[in-house]
């Protein structure tokens, strides 16, 4: 992930970045399962991905995005729409995915979107937030994480 602007030194962005790293690892595991035609494993990993993305998305949408949408309304709306598209396909892992031969390809397509989405946040949203948010806005982001009880993965050493 990005390390050029120093935004990861801000705990909120560091936590979101660690979640992105976890998600990227899961995307790779799902792609491996796709290659091996392990559809049940793809669904298991999709559910795991959704469990990471759920609180992560809420921290973004309830904490970070409101602070940025005044400056970048179209971009923030596009990111929210991408969240919905990705969530919809991941949620299909809880349904009759084995009887839907198109689901694995929809999942792989959604994961491609998710990977692009992560890059937009890492390279655009997070540096913009570093430049624009004041201490009270960062506290609001952290308050969302605390309210959700969302724990980010620990930093790697």
């Amino acid at each position: 992930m990005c390390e050029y602007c120093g935004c990861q030194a801000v705990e909120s962005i560091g936590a979101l970045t660690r979640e992105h790293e976890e998600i990227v690892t899961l995307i790779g595991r799902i792609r491996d399962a796709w290659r091996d035609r392990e559809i049940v494993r793809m669904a298991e990993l999709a559910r795991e991905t959704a469990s990471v993305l759920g609180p992560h998305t809420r921290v973004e949408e309830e904490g970070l995005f409101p602070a940025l949408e005044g400056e970048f309304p179209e971009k923030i709306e596009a990111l929210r729409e991408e969240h919905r598209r990705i969530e919809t396909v991941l949620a299909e892992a809880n349904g009759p995915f084995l009887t839907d031969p198109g689901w694995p390809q929809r999942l792989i397509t959604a994961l491609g979107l998710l990977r692009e989405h992560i890059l937009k946040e890492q390279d655009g949203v997070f540096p913009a937030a570093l430049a624009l948010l004041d201490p009270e806005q960062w506290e609001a982001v952290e308050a969302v994480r605390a309210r959700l009880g969302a724990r980010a993965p620990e930093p790697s050493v």
Side-chain angles (χ1 to χ4, degrees), residues 2-15 17-18 126 130 138:
C2 144
E3 298 195 17
Y4 62 87
C5 70
C7 63
Q8 293 179 39
V10 175
E11 178 51 33
S12 295
I13 293 176
T17 296
R18 288 189 301 277
F126 296 170
L130 180 65
W138 285 117

Side-chain angles (χ1 to χ4, degrees), residues 15-128:
L16 291 166
T17 296
R18 288 189 301 277
E19 291 162 351
H20 281 166
E21 290 168 349
E22 183 176 355
I23 291 162
V24 168
T25 298
L26 287 164
I27 289 170
R29 292 172 60 198
I30 293 170
R31 287 181 175 157
D32 289 345
W34 168 244
R35 180 198 62 226
D36 297 337
R37 304 203 189 297
E38 296 176 356
I39 307 307
V40 171
R41 182 71 180 137
M42 288 177 71
E44 291 167 354
L45 291 165
R47 288 189 291 272
E48 188 176 343
T49 301
S51 75
V52 175
L53 274 179
H56 172 93
T57 297
R58 289 190 59 195
V59 168
E60 289 177 344
E61 291 192 359
E62 296 173 25
L64 189 59
F65 289 0
L68 294 170
E69 66 190 336
E71 279 294 315
F72 310 103
E74 296 87 12
K75 292 188 182 304
I76 296 301
E77 183 56 32
L79 291 169
R80 284 188 170 115
E81 289 174 12
E82 289 174 358
H83 283 165
R84 299 296 83 75
R85 290 173 50 203
I86 294 161
E87 289 167 347
T88 297
V89 176
L90 289 173
E92 293 177 27
N94 294 315
F97 59 88
L98 286 175
T99 61
D100 182 353
W103 178 76
Q105 183 59 58
R106 281 195 308 281
L107 178 61
I108 294 301
T109 300
L111 295 177
L113 173 62
L114 178 54
R115 188 68 182 97
E116 292 172 14
H117 179 90
I118 288 171
L119 292 174
K120 289 175 195 174
E121 290 180 348
Q122 291 292 142
D123 295 340
V125 173
F126 296 170

